[in-house]
Amino acid sequence: MQLALSPLPLPGPLSRRLDLFALKLSQPKGMTFDFSTPQGEPALVPADSVSWQVFKNPVTVFIGGIAAVLLELAEPHVRDGVWQHSSFRTDALTRMQRTGLAAMITVYGARSRAEAMIEGVNRRHGSVTGLTAEGKPYRADDPILLDWVQATAAFGFMEAYHRYAHPLSDEARNRFLAEGKAAAKLYGATNAPTSVPEMNMLFNVMRPRLAKTEIVFEFLDIVGKVPALPAALRPFQKLLITAAVELLPGWVRDRLGLRQSWSLTPWQRALVKAAAFGAERIMLPSSAPVQACRRLGLPDTYLYRQRP
């Protein structure tokens, strides 16, 4: 019944299968989250925000998430903090699912539940310490690293949506970054950029710290093989990963050695844009955005009636 309201209707059986697959993919092993409760409780960002529009698109969220991790891995302290204390090598899918669910909770979850989730993440980060491969100490709760992680995530999701789903005006991009301030502070990223100029400034500050690493290529190999999409769509998964590489600033791609063989052809880029265009218009009843709208008493189609 709800699927009939989708801006891009699909045949019933296909809609149900797609909704079921998306729900299964968004729920990591041993974890469930109900975005429809508590009834009426707002999220950290309002429903009419640019953030709610950007994060409703699963194609660009996947692309943006990969781009964000590539930028994180380029910074040696974040790189080893992630790689030395992560199950990514042994259970990449679950790790990706947990990271994706955390992003959805931060944007769409009821405020009290989002705050509780973030508090748990911070507790775990507090015990993550070590030495980089270069012998330099790191702490996951280092404010500078937290600002970088928040900035890379914001950059990835914003740029992926802007480039492949729907162009964002300068005003919308600044709004998107400013909307992340509350969550960033909860994560401990007190100086995360809240505007495009601030984002550009942080990239310039971090530029000397970013370095080439084989871990980037190991990461790309793993995410290319992880069963994030059905087997029939696995070749398209590689295109989404390449689209993520293309989001990176040119100097970052040069620094990481990601120019050759990591560029989309014109027809591949058109295919990615078509997928993002479709994802922007297919409403999945079980998705976090729709469930969050129901929590607030908004129509299922609320996020499909406006543009950021």
Side-chain angles (χ1 to χ4, degrees), residues 233-270:
L233 296 178
R234 208 64 50 76
F236 183 65
Q237 186 169 316
K238 175 65 182 298
L239 295 188
L240 297 182
I241 295 168
T242 304
V245 174
E246 281 206 342
L247 281 184
L248 304 180
W251 66 266
V252 174
R253 293 183 66 186
D254 291 337
R255 184 77 56 88
L256 297 179
L258 291 174
R259 283 289 189 182
Q260 293 184 350
S261 77
W262 286 102
S263 296
L264 296 170
T265 65
W267 75 265
Q268 288 174 333
R269 194 171 296 108

Side-chain angles (χ1 to χ4, degrees), residues 35 90 100 137 208:
F35 288 89
T90 57

Side-chain angles (χ1 to χ4, degrees), residues 46-299:
D48 62 354
S49 63
V50 179
S51 298
W52 274 46
Q53 288 288 337
V54 167
F55 280 87
K56 80 176 186 297
N57 192 307
V59 171
T60 57
V61 164
F62 181 87
I63 294 171
I66 298 297
V69 175
L70 290 172
L71 287 167
E72 291 171 18
L73 294 177
E75 205 290 324
H77 301 78
V78 179
R79 175 199 71 204
D80 288 336
V82 169
W83 219 242
Q84 294 175 7
H85 299 266
S86 168
S87 60
F88 199 88
R89 281 189 177 104
T90 57
D91 193 3
L93 180 59
T94 299
R95 176 57 191 261
M96 291 171 67
Q97 288 174 305
R98 288 176 177 173
T99 302
L101 179 59
M104 291 296 109
I105 293 172
T106 300
V107 175
Y108 296 112
R111 178 183 292 269
S112 61
R113 293 186 174 180
E115 291 172 344
M117 183 274 295
I118 294 171
E119 184 179 351
V121 171
N122 291 341
R123 282 197 302 269
R124 292 191 292 275
H125 282 175
S127 63
V128 175
T129 62
L131 296 175
T132 67
E134 295 79 15
K136 296 182 179 180
Y138 64 79
R139 294 186 57 87
D141 57 4
D142 181 334
I144 295 177
L145 302 186
L146 291 172
D147 289 343
W148 180 241
V149 169
Q150 288 296 310
T152 58
F155 174 88
F157 296 129
M158 178 178 69
E159 288 301 315
Y161 187 86
H162 171 73
R163 185 172 303 186
Y164 298 113
H166 178 71
L168 295 172
S169 66
D170 290 343
E171 188 271 337
R173 290 154 72 88
N174 284 325
R175 278 181 57 200
F176 175 83
L177 293 172
E179 288 163 3
K181 184 175 182 179
K185 283 190 172 182
L186 290 173
Y187 278 111
T190 54
N191 291 309
T194 57
S195 68
V196 172
E198 288 182 7
M199 176 75 77
N200 293 337
M201 185 180 303
L202 180 59
F203 268 72
N204 286 332
V205 169
M206 296 298 291
R207 185 168 184 161
R209 298 176 59 141
L210 305 191
K212 184 176 181 179
T213 170
E214 290 303 311
I215 288 176
V216 161
F217 298 97
E218 184 178 356
F219 167 75
L220 289 170
D221 181 62
I222 292 173
V223 296
K225 296 176 181 176
V226 72
L229 295 179
L233 296 178
R234 208 64 50 76
F236 183 65
Q237 186 169 316
K238 175 65 182 298
L239 295 188
L240 297 182
I241 295 168
T242 304
V245 174
E246 281 206 342
L247 281 184
L248 304 180
W251 66 266
V252 174
R253 293 183 66 186
D254 291 337
R255 184 77 56 88
L256 297 179
L258 291 174
R259 283 289 189 182
Q260 293 184 350
S261 77
W262 286 102
S263 296
L264 296 170
T265 65
W267 75 265
Q268 288 174 333
R269 194 171 296 108
L271 185 59
V272 171
K273 287 185 176 182
F277 178 89
E280 187 73 358
R281 290 155 179 79
I282 297 174
M283 189 186 68
L284 302 177
S286 299
S287 68
V290 172
Q291 290 297 312
C293 284
R294 292 179 181 180
R295 185 181 77 246
L296 298 179
L298 299 170

